[in-house]
């Protein structure tokens, strides 16, 4: 039986980690920020996960610390497929439909719980069944694969386009350019 990890081994030393799901959601939110570089996103992960221990990790073990952190975020699963998956959800945009689905699985309001281990929270997420979030996700997946929607899905999509379509997040510079052209074109 595997227990929920509360530390990660890096360079032969165990470093305690911050395992609450909110901590990982902050990192996942940073991953969606187009203004952050890949290096900045990794630094956020390391600083959030290892907290005070991050500064004690020797430089030669930082890559190992990143791999261990990724292993933790992936809930201990080894991913054979190295291709990045097409984005189907956004933790921030989908929060209003995602948390009710997670709460249904958990049988409690997860946002008010003082602590939930990331792996437990991810387990709740993986068990989401029928509901608004799964409908939206199903529509997104079909559209991404070019599959035809069923009539009821087409109607749901027409009535909930803002809910179903993932918003593109632009860098600050890109957004200024878009705003400039929108202003010029009226």
């Amino acid at each position: 039986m595997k227990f929920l990890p509360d530390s990660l081994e890096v360079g032969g030393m165990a470093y305690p980690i911050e395992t609450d799901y909110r901590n990982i959601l902050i990192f996942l939110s940073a991953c969606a920020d187009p203004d952050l570089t890949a290096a900045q996103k990794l630094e956020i992960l390391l600083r959030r996960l290892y907290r005070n221990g991050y500064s004690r990790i020797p430089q030669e073990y930082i890559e190992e610390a990143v791999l261990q952190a990724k292993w933790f975020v992936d809930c201990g699963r080894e991913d054979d497929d190295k291709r990045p998956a097409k984005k189907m959800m956004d933790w921030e945009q989908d929060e209003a439909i995602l948390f009710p689905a997670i709460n249904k699985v958990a049988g409690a309001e997860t946002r008010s719980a003082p602590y939930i281990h990331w792996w437990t929270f991810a387990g709740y997420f993986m068990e989401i069944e029928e509901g608004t979030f799964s409908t939206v996700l199903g529509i997104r997946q079909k559209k991404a694969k070019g599959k035809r929607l069923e009539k009821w899905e087409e109607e749901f999509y027409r009535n909930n386009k803002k809910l179903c379509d993932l918003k593109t997040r632009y860098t600050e510079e890109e957004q200024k350019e878009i705003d400039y052209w929108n202003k010029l074109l009226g």
Side-chain angles (χ1 to χ4, degrees):
M1 170 187 285
K2 270 190 165 177
F3 294 98
L4 299 175
D6 60 2
S7 66
L8 294 174
E9 190 173 312
V10 177
M13 265 189 77
Y15 289 88
I17 56 172
E18 176 58 50
T19 61
D20 188 65
Y21 81 91
R22 294 165 193 88
N23 194 44
I24 304 306
L25 291 184
I26 290 170
F27 162 67
L28 294 175
S29 179
C31 285
D33 187 337
D35 286 318
L36 295 175
T37 66
Q40 289 170 320
K41 293 171 187 180
L42 285 177
E43 184 165 346
I44 289 169
L45 172 61
L46 295 175
R47 288 189 183 281
R48 298 228 37 108
L49 192 61
Y50 293 100
R51 296 289 179 160
N52 297 336
Y54 172 68
S55 61
R56 294 192 326 262
I57 299 172
Q59 189 62 40
E60 65 263 23
Y61 295 117
I62 293 297
E63 186 176 337
E64 183 181 347
V66 168
L67 293 174
Q68 288 289 80
K70 182 186 179 322
W71 175 86
F72 178 77
V73 172
D74 290 342
C75 298
R77 288 187 304 271
E78 300 297 328
D79 190 11
D80 295 334
D81 189 3
K82 300 296 181 200
R83 293 174 295 145
K86 181 162 174 50
K87 184 175 181 174
M88 289 292 133
M89 63 162 285
D90 182 288
W91 286 98
E92 289 180 65
Q93 180 181 329
D94 294 333
E95 181 178 3
I97 60 174
L98 186 54
F99 274 95
I102 290 170
N103 293 343
K104 183 178 177 184
V105 174
E109 173 54 64
T110 55
R111 290 170 288 195
S112 65
Y115 170 83
I116 299 175
H117 191 283
W118 168 244
W119 287 16
T120 300
F121 183 82
Y124 295 151
F125 172 77
M126 295 302 215
E127 292 302 315
I128 293 174
E129 293 182 357
E130 293 181 21
T132 305
F133 177 72
S134 61
T135 299
V136 168
L137 189 60
I139 289 170
R140 288 176 184 166
Q141 289 171 332
K142 281 186 174 183
K143 289 179 75 59
K145 292 178 181 177
K147 291 186 176 179
R148 186 168 173 78
L149 298 178
E150 296 192 30
K151 285 204 183 290
W152 71 269
E153 291 171 317
E154 287 176 6
E155 183 178 345
F156 184 93
Y157 179 72
R158 268 193 314 275
N159 294 331
N160 299 284
K161 200 167 173 30
K162 284 186 178 181
L163 196 61
C164 294
D165 289 341
L166 283 172
K167 296 176 186 90
T168 302
R169 292 177 66 181
Y170 298 102
T171 64
E172 192 175 316
E173 188 177 291
E174 290 169 330
Q175 190 60 54
K176 284 179 184 176
E177 183 79 11
I178 290 167
D179 292 344
Y180 169 79
W181 285 104
N182 283 339
K183 187 176 178 182
L184 272 180
L185 299 172

